[in-house]
């Protein structure tokens, strides 16, 4: 079982920054993703790869984003990760189902595919079904917007809907939302995460620990939601399998039951130390202070995460 569909936050960390990896692993992120791609300069690729394998060997559930197929580093990444203890591999710029299937056979790990081009989006449904080890398909919205020549982020709503359908039609969990790059705009992050949740996404990639609280808030079911779902499921046990009206006057049919069951199972699967849904404070979460609007958020000395092209 992979972390997709359960993990709310996926924190990118440049793999060659082992100091930041240690801080991230001790922090509140549900999953740490060691990045070999955009956050790592070319002259540090070998060191990053070796560090990722070492870190993953000592910490359960660590994922790695490899370099894309066709780059000078992809083959070495695949060779190293195939024999490693990583929890899974993020595959950037996925657009060829046959190539993904070959990579899955070689790696033997769950794959999280990032669709970042028109060609990849057009084949999203095929990618989601191309191999049993494909655990999910998400968008890399910056590259996708550039390839589509889209300037308004809202114009990608149809692409988001398409990838939601591709995942669910293939029996996969809801897709993970792309990174929110404006680190100073936590209100925007909170609103956009809630909108992504309501549009069929679950979880979000983040590039700074200060973003985790808002993301966890959006993707953690509220206590009253879970309580209502438990009441509904209890009424089902009393009424049997037929459609009925529950004690609160709600019409209950199989679709409503499925939604309630998913909500309860999700709530029960979350870490016991998860943030309460009404907590948005990041004071106790940040392993590094968030940059101010005058600072460059891509400065690797400040960020314990990738500023890769998946975001927006």
């Amino acid at each position: 079982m992979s972390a997709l569909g359960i993990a709310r936050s996926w924190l990118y960390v440049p793999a060659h920054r082992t100091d930041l990896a240690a801080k991230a692993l001790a922090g509140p992120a549900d999953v740490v993703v060691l990045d070999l791609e955009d956050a790592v300069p070319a002259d540090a690729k070998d060191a990053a790869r070796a560090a990722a394998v070492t870190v993953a060997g000592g910490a359960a559930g660590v994922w790695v984003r490899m370099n894309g197929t066709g780059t000078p580093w992809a083959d070495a990444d695949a060779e190293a990760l195939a024999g490693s203890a990583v929890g899974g591999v993020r595959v950037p710029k996925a657009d060829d189902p046959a190539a993904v299937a070959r990579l899955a056979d070689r790696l033997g790990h769950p794959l999280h595919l990032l669709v970042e081009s028109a060609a990849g989006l057009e084949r999203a449904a095929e990618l989601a079904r191309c191999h049993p080890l494909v655990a999910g398909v998400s968008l890399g919205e910056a590259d996708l917007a550039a390839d589509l020549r889209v300037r308004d982020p809202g114009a990608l709503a149809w692409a988001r809907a398409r990838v939601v359908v591709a995942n669910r039609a293939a029996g996969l969990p809801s897709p993970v939302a792309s990174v929110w790059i404006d680190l100073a705009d936590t209100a925007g992050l909170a609103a956009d995460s809630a909108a992504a949740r309501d549009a069929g996404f679950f979880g979000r990639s983040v590039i700074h620990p200060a973003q985790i609280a808002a993301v966890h808030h959006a993707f953690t079911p509220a206590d009253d939601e879970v309580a209502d779902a438990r009441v509904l499921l209890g009424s089902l046990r009393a009424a049997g399998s037929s459609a009925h009206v529950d004690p609160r006057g709600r019409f209950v049919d199989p679709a409503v039951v499925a939604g309630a069951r998913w909500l309860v199972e999700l709530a029960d699967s979350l870490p016991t130390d998860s943030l309460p849904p009404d907590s948005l404070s990041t004071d106790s979460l940040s392993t590094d202070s968030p940059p101010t609007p005058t600072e460059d958020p891509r400065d690797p000395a400040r960020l314990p995460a990738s500023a890769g092209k998946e975001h927006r």
Side-chain angles (χ1 to χ4, degrees), residues 56-294:
V62 174
W63 282 60
V64 173
R65 178 167 69 170
M66 65 179 291
N67 289 283
T69 302
T71 66
W73 312 284
D75 188 66
D77 288 352
E79 182 177 357
L81 295 174
S84 73
V86 299
V89 178
R90 282 193 166 192
V91 181
K93 300 175 178 60
D95 61 8
D96 182 347
V100 168
R102 290 193 296 271
L103 181 64
D105 285 337
R106 183 177 183 184
L107 288 174
H109 296 301
L111 302 185
H112 183 188
L113 309 182
L114 302 179
V115 168
E116 305 182 69
S117 67
L121 184 62
E122 185 69 14
R123 306 188 76 178
E126 295 176 69
L127 289 166
R129 298 174 182 271
C130 72
H131 197 281
L133 284 174
V134 172
V137 179
S138 295
L139 296 178
E141 293 189 4
D143 280 277
L144 179 59
D147 194 40
L148 296 175
R149 300 176 180 174
V150 166
R151 296 185 180 184
D152 178 5
L156 290 179
W158 65 273
R160 297 180 187 125
R162 183 165 187 158
V163 81
V164 168
V165 172
N167 279 274
R168 299 302 295 136
L172 300 177
S174 300
V176 176
S178 293
V179 165
W180 178 264
I181 64 168
D182 190 345
L183 297 178
D185 185 9
T186 55
L189 169 63
D192 193 73
S193 296
R197 174 201 64 208
D198 294 346
F201 288 79
F202 186 81
R204 184 159 211 155
S205 299
V206 297
I207 55 172
H208 195 282
Q211 297 181 314
I212 293 173
V215 169
H216 281 192
H217 179 270
F219 294 103
T220 299
D223 290 344
D224 58 349
E225 288 183 294
V226 178
D228 284 349
R230 294 190 193 280
V231 169
L232 187 148
L233 294 177
S235 74
L236 177 68
R237 287 189 287 272
S241 59
S242 61
H244 65 283
V245 177
D246 76 357
R248 299 189 181 187
R250 296 172 297 185
F251 180 76
V252 178
D253 65 5
V256 174
V257 170
R261 184 169 288 120
W262 174 79
L263 192 68
V264 169
E265 290 174 353
L266 172 63
D268 290 343
S269 71
L270 293 177
T272 56
D273 61 346
S274 69
L275 295 168
D278 59 351
S279 173
L280 284 175
S281 172
T282 61
D283 292 344
S284 63
L285 300 181
S286 299
T287 57
D288 195 359
S289 58
T292 66
T294 59

